[in-house]
Amino acid sequence: MNGEVRHEDAMCKGRLSGIGVGPGPAGYLPLAALDALRAADVIYLPRARGADMSVALQCLDGVAFDRGRLREIEFNMDPDRQVLQAHYAQLGRELAAQLRDGLHVAYLTIGDSLTYSTYGYVLAAVRDLYPDCDCVTYPGITSYAAAASALEWPLGVGKERTLILPCPEDAATLRAEIESHDIVVLMKVGARLPWVLELLREMDIARHCAFARRIGLEGEVLASDLTTLDAAQASGYLAVLLIRKTAQDKRHVPEDMKGQT
């Protein structure tokens, strides 16, 4: 079997913890996740291919834990699904071998653990080998929740419908999504930002849309009006766009209700 771990061969005695470290500020790490981080025997730290430093580690700046337990890995988001599947199958085998030995293994991921996260692939690969493995996933703060808070931008009021999606490849598809929802949270914008901004301006809604990039990190960009946002300066990794089809309804307190609690 070429050294491959199979769940029939041995019991999985360890624990896998998926930890969402949040979108930037170290203070966004949940307390339960911090306890799991400090208790882990091995901490897998993903780093984007070509990056000098893991963003997940930057999100833990100032947090006290044993950095000697860190094991940095380069994660692969190849568009070829077979290549991607092979990459995470291999990583799953590596983690499974440590879990078989009874180790507590933590896997760090930016934002929330299971929202467009590499941890979802890792968890599936481990479950494939050990269906009954002790796995605990800790939720983290998403980039769009952090952006909404930083900009005081409600993600949904009353019965507004909110759609969360990775940026489409063309303007026509995105326009259709905006027209059929009240709010659209646009993730994985990347190099598409110039035409996305052009579309929002063409639809005359850019003034009540918002943008955030690298929240709480060096190079942070926050904008609550996109009519003049410079795509060349704002483009890059870790960006999220908050799109509102119509201006937010200003709900006024009736005169006879003012002062009441």
Side-chain angles (χ1 to χ4, degrees):
M1 290 189 296
N2 299 321
E4 182 175 333
V5 179
R6 295 286 186 183
H7 60 83
E8 310 96 80
D9 299 333
M11 291 183 60
C12 178
K13 297 177 287 186
R15 165 177 284 190
L16 173 64
S17 292
I19 298 176
V21 299
Y28 285 179
L29 182 68
L31 293 176
L34 177 58
D35 289 342
L37 174 67
R38 289 172 172 166
D41 299 302
V42 182
I43 304 167
Y44 277 81
L45 179 69
R47 175 178 56 81
R49 178 174 292 176
D52 296 329
M53 182 179 181
S54 167
V55 176
L57 186 58
Q58 293 178 17
C59 294
L60 293 176
D61 186 35
V63 175
F65 68 99
D66 186 357
R67 281 165 169 73
R69 300 176 185 178
L70 289 171
R71 181 168 299 179
E72 189 174 88
I73 54 171
E74 183 179 80
F75 70 80
N76 187 344
M77 293 304 292
D78 196 293
D80 187 324
R81 295 195 66 83
Q82 289 187 328
V83 173
L84 191 64
Q85 186 176 10
H87 171 77
Y88 284 103
Q90 174 58 40
L91 180 57
R93 288 192 290 270
E94 183 178 334
L95 268 66
Q98 302 202 44
L99 295 168
R100 181 187 55 188
D101 291 339
L103 298 180
H104 180 180
V105 179
Y107 184 93
L108 306 185
T109 184
I110 305 167
D112 175 62
S113 309
L114 288 171
T115 303
Y116 296 109
S117 165
T118 59
Y119 173 69
Y121 297 105
V122 173
L123 179 60
V126 170
R127 285 286 193 205
D128 186 53
L129 296 167
Y130 286 124
D132 299 322
C133 179
D134 183 9
C135 299
V136 180
T137 302
Y138 296 90
I141 297 175
T142 61
S143 60
Y144 54 84
S149 295
L151 293 163
E152 297 182 350
W153 201 98
L155 284 169
V157 177
K159 295 184 178 181
E160 288 180 330
R161 295 169 301 164
T162 300
L163 172 67
I164 303 167
L165 80 163
C167 185
E169 296 296 332
D170 61 271
T173 301
L174 179 56
R175 178 189 285 271
E177 297 288 15
I178 294 171
E179 290 176 344
S180 57
H181 295 84
D182 301 300
I183 294 169
V184 173
V185 174
L186 201 61
M187 305 182 70
K188 301 180 181 293
V189 182
R192 306 173 189 85
L193 184 60
W195 68 254
V196 170
L197 291 177
E198 183 179 348
L199 173 65
L200 299 180
R201 291 161 186 166
E202 179 185 319
M203 297 179 70
D204 195 27
I205 62 174
R207 64 187 179 280
H208 40 258
C209 296
F211 175 87
R213 176 174 175 262
R214 296 184 62 82
I215 302 166
L217 301 173
E218 184 179 354
E220 178 186 68
V221 177
L222 295 173
S224 56
D225 181 340
L226 307 188
T227 54
T228 60
L229 181 67
D230 186 340
Q233 294 182 357
S235 293
Y237 188 44
L238 300 177
V240 62
L241 234 159
L242 309 177
I243 301 171
R244 184 179 289 278
K245 184 171 60 176
T246 57
Q248 183 184 354
D249 180 25
K250 304 297 183 182
R251 299 173 184 268
H252 298 286
V253 178
E255 289 295 328
D256 59 353
M257 294 290 290
K258 290 182 178 180
Q260 297 184 23
T261 58

